[in-house]
Amino acid sequence: MGIQLYNTLTRKIEPFKPLEKGKVKMYVCGPTVYNYIHIGNARPVVVFDMVRRYLEYRGYEVQYVSNFTDVDDKIIKVAEGMGEDVKSLTERFIKAFHEDTGALGVKKADIHPRVTETIPEIVSFIERLVDKGYAYESEGDVYFRTKKFKDYGKLSQQSIDDLQLGARIEVGEKKENPLDFVLWKKGKPGEISWESPWGNGRPGWHIECSAMVKKYLGDTIDIHAGGQDLVFPHHENEIAQSEALTEKKMANYWLHNGYININNEKMSKSLGNFVLVHDIIKQFDPKVVRFFIVNAHYRSPINFSAEQLTSAESGLERINTTYTNLQHRLKTSADLGEDSEAWESKIEEHHDRFIQEMDDDFNSANAVAAMFDLVKLGNLYLMEKHTTKDVLSKFVGRMENMAYVLGMELGKQEALLDEEVEKLIQERIDARKNRDFARADAIRDELKERNIVLEDTPQGTRWKRV
RNA sequence: GGCGGCAUAGCCAAGUGGUAAGGCACGGGUCUGCAAAACCCUUAUCCCCGGUUCGAGUCCGGGUGCCGCCUCCA
């Protein structure tokens, strides 16, 4: 049936049809870099990384662009407070972003454009909007004339009149209309700024994405994604700017992920109830955090708590245990099983279901369920007296496929043990042969203290780190 | 005030109108020298009230509760 996805623009599930066969142009709004990212910021990064991986797994060539906002009010303020210049602050947190998201198994985008490296395109974008009458200069600022853009509100499904009622009017308003938003902001003395036809200043927030999308991906792209809180005003404004200029549809599909909540409230920088990825991965394996995120449907809100992560940790361990057991069996046992075809076709059924679930608006919650079903099947197979290399490899391969799409590496534990530990394990094997269980148990306890857990299987003793 | 979302077992979480996936936790059992892991069994009148239908968690109407956007926010 192919991939179906929920499009915020139409509020419907639609079949995915790329602009160009076999290719996908995708843009994800990235962070403003003045702090470490919190787990709520991490969600879209993880979730759309998964979307990208899945599209690639399904054979699409994906061009994936995600920006860094590396100049804005908050950055300037924070930099000032720290006595650091803007450039060095943003460099620091861009590096931290890559470290944190890398730990979460996120692949880098093909291009990570920055505002400060896109100024000429932004200025010319604004100039052309002014030329077309969609923007006006006012005391050194430039604003977008929302009233002139007839589709304003189409993404957030709001009428321009209702929006106006809700809009707050600031004192000393330089705008023609409260809904107008700033494209270019007049610089204050001493602040970072660039020259422009309207004097020194810097870009407003929304214009950067419009300019970057156009620069790197073109007038119309396939997928534009971000957090739900960006629907209005950010994405609405992007559409206004871009479509006013190009008179073409900016993106065919708009995808928005749900929030991560704490105590049922949105996690956000302004509420101050956030947990930094930087900190949480000191307590939990980053793969656990990834699994936790991927375990829910991307549009559902998820509540964050240590209990939930602990639960995810146990679930992931179940998957890993089966995976390592299958590999252990593959290495240590003979190639003697029967009914290979029957097992292999069952494995394929689970893989098919995985694909079907991911096709259905990236329903990773159900895809994970399919993976757990495969795990169960694997455990049943491991109970067979005789197994074949073919079936075992098939299990391992399919588990790896699924894990790749979800962005989790399986069973990646250091293969090496130091000599002393190796010796102890061997000594215990001998002790058990001699039925010296007291000694065997003592060794097992000792290794446990060193976080190495032993499991005796019919194919021999297996160890793992915990 | 406008727009939108959600309410499913102890916890988390899926669910195309046909009598409720999956995970975690709990209890019982099997296997094991003992464990661990695994396997088997047990655990839900799907917020309330109406309606449509042969049949509704799933559609419609009305409640109740919670949340989000409308201001920087993923």
Side-chain angles (χ1 to χ4, degrees):
Chain A
M1 189 162 77
I3 297 171
Q4 313 274 314
L5 41 74
Y6 179 85
N7 189 353
T8 307
L9 195 59
T10 57
R11 313 242 163 186
K12 285 192 188 106
I13 305 255
E14 301 175 2
F16 178 64
K17 284 195 199 100
L19 290 159
E20 194 181 335
K21 194 166 179 282
K23 292 189 178 176
V24 181
K25 294 179 176 192
M26 184 165 174
Y27 183 91
V28 180
C29 288
T32 303
V33 281
Y34 63 92
N35 195 351
Y36 294 103
I37 55 164
H38 60 65
I39 178 125
N41 301 129
R43 191 174 186 189
V45 182
V46 165
V47 143
F48 297 118
D49 175 70
M50 176 187 81
V51 167
R52 172 201 197 171
R53 285 165 177 265
Y54 185 63
L55 290 168
E56 286 172 351
Y57 187 67
R58 294 287 261 135
Y60 290 99
E61 186 187 314
V62 181
Q63 253 187 298
Y64 193 89
V65 178
S66 188
N67 69 300
F68 287 118
T69 300
D70 64 347
V71 60
D72 93 322
D73 290 353
K74 283 206 180 118
I75 291 174
I76 290 170
K77 202 172 154 194
V78 170
E80 212 169 80
M82 301 191 86
E84 188 173 4
D85 68 72
V86 164
K87 177 87 177 158
S88 101
L89 178 86
T90 56
E91 283 296 341
R92 211 148 56 78
F93 286 115
I94 286 171
K95 190 162 169 271
F97 173 89
H98 282 131
E99 282 167 8
D100 290 343
T101 59
L104 295 178
V106 173
K107 301 208 292 187
K108 278 195 180 182
D110 296 310
I111 306 167
H112 278 289
R114 304 180 188 189
V115 178
T116 56
E117 292 166 0
T118 319
I119 301 290
E121 289 81 3
I122 290 173
V123 168
S124 100
F125 201 112
I126 298 172
E127 274 186 295
R128 291 163 67 192
L129 284 177
V130 172
D131 290 346
K132 291 186 88 165
Y134 280 106
Y136 56 92
E137 189 264 333
S138 171
E139 299 175 36
D141 293 343
V142 181
Y143 293 95
F144 185 88
R145 187 171 276 132
T146 43
K147 262 198 168 154
K148 188 170 163 77
F149 184 69
K150 60 183 187 324
D151 282 339
Y152 197 75
K154 73 172 174 181
L155 182 68
S156 51
Q157 314 267 303
Q158 305 242 39
S159 78
I160 199 156
D161 297 330
D162 292 336
L163 282 167
Q164 271 174 355
L165 288 172
R168 307 177 190 199
I169 297 155
E170 290 161 31
V171 186
E173 193 56 76
K174 289 181 267 184
K175 304 173 187 176
E176 290 175 0
N177 181 305
L179 285 180
D180 292 353
F181 53 91
V182 69
L183 299 170
W184 187 261
K185 220 169 171 166
K186 184 180 179 175
K188 294 184 190 136
E191 272 181 11
I192 183 168
S193 69
W194 290 264
E195 281 177 27
S196 82
W198 319 282
N200 272 31
R202 59 193 158 82
W205 175 39
H206 313 293
I207 192 67
E208 63 186 70
C209 290
S210 286
M212 289 171 181
V213 166
K214 187 168 165 52
K215 177 176 177 183
Y216 294 103
L217 295 171
D219 289 351
T220 302
I221 66 172
D222 294 295
I223 297 175
H224 195 127
Q228 231 152 45
D229 46 359
L230 296 184
V231 173
F232 191 91
H234 186 55
H235 286 162
E236 195 72 68
N237 291 350
E238 282 187 46
I239 288 175
Q241 295 157 351
S242 293
E243 300 191 357
L245 180 70
T246 65
E247 292 170 26
K248 290 177 200 154
K249 203 171 175 187
M250 183 185 197
N252 285 331
Y253 304 94
W254 290 83
L255 268 46
H256 295 96
N257 64 276
Y259 301 124
I260 289 187
N261 296 330
I262 285 194
N263 297 325
N264 269 339
E265 271 190 333
K266 177 184 172 184
M267 181 187 291
S268 77
K269 287 178 187 169
S270 37
L271 287 174
N273 60 349
F274 54 86
V275 175
L276 299 178
V277 170
H278 187 71
D279 292 327
I280 199 70
I281 61 179
K282 289 174 191 158
Q283 290 171 51
F284 289 92
D285 186 325
K287 286 193 276 291
V288 169
V289 178
R290 171 115 190 178
F291 183 60
F292 166 74
I293 292 173
V294 135
N295 213 350
H297 185 99
Y298 77 95
R299 284 192 283 117
S300 305
I302 44 182
N303 220 17
F304 177 88
S305 69
E307 289 71 32
Q308 290 313 313
L309 279 187
T310 302
S311 167
E313 189 170 45
S314 304
L316 185 57
E317 198 178 314
R318 174 174 163 84
I319 294 171
N320 268 314
T321 299
T322 299
Y323 178 76
T324 49
N325 283 344
L326 286 163
Q327 282 205 317
H328 180 250
R329 185 73 172 259
L330 187 57
K331 278 183 209 143
T332 53
S333 73
D335 194 20
L336 288 171
E338 290 165 12
D339 299 326
S340 289
E341 295 81 10
W343 285 98
E344 285 182 30
S345 90
K346 280 187 204 160
I347 293 170
E348 285 314 288
E349 273 173 34
H350 291 305
H351 179 257
D352 290 348
R353 181 179 164 216
F354 181 89
I355 294 295
Q356 199 182 307
E357 298 293 358
M358 288 301 286
D359 269 2
D360 181 14
D361 194 29
F362 312 105
N363 193 335
S364 55
N366 279 346
V368 168
M371 192 170 183
F372 274 111
D373 287 339
L374 180 64
V375 162
K376 178 142 189 172
L377 188 69
N379 286 329
L380 288 170
Y381 190 64
L382 287 165
M383 290 170 87
E384 295 280 301
K385 280 209 176 65
H386 301 299
T387 54
T388 69
K389 304 266 186 212
D390 280 353
V391 175
L392 290 166
S393 325
K394 186 130 217 161
F395 268 116
V396 167
R398 283 316 193 189
M399 283 189 75
E400 284 172 352
N401 289 153
M402 295 180 186
Y404 172 79
V405 168
L406 299 174
M408 311 176 307
E409 266 180 299
L410 293 177
K412 266 282 151 75
Q413 51 183 359
E414 323 75 310
L416 293 178
L417 286 171
D418 59 54
E419 267 181 45
E420 193 199 344
V421 172
E422 295 270 17
K423 258 190 190 165
L424 282 170
I425 292 175
Q426 189 51 49
E427 190 187 335
R428 179 168 172 280
I429 290 167
D430 296 337
R432 289 184 74 226
K433 261 185 208 152
N434 300 326
R435 305 192 66 78
D436 180 1
F437 297 122
R439 179 62 189 144
D441 290 351
I443 293 172
R444 187 168 62 196
D445 289 344
E446 192 186 329
L447 289 173
K448 196 175 178 182
E449 301 250 312
R450 302 195 201 181
N451 295 323
I452 293 169
V453 169
L454 299 184
E455 292 176 8
D456 301 320
T457 75
Q459 286 72 41
T461 297
R462 237 178 40 55
W463 63 270
K464 67 176 178 183
R465 289 185 203 274
V466 289

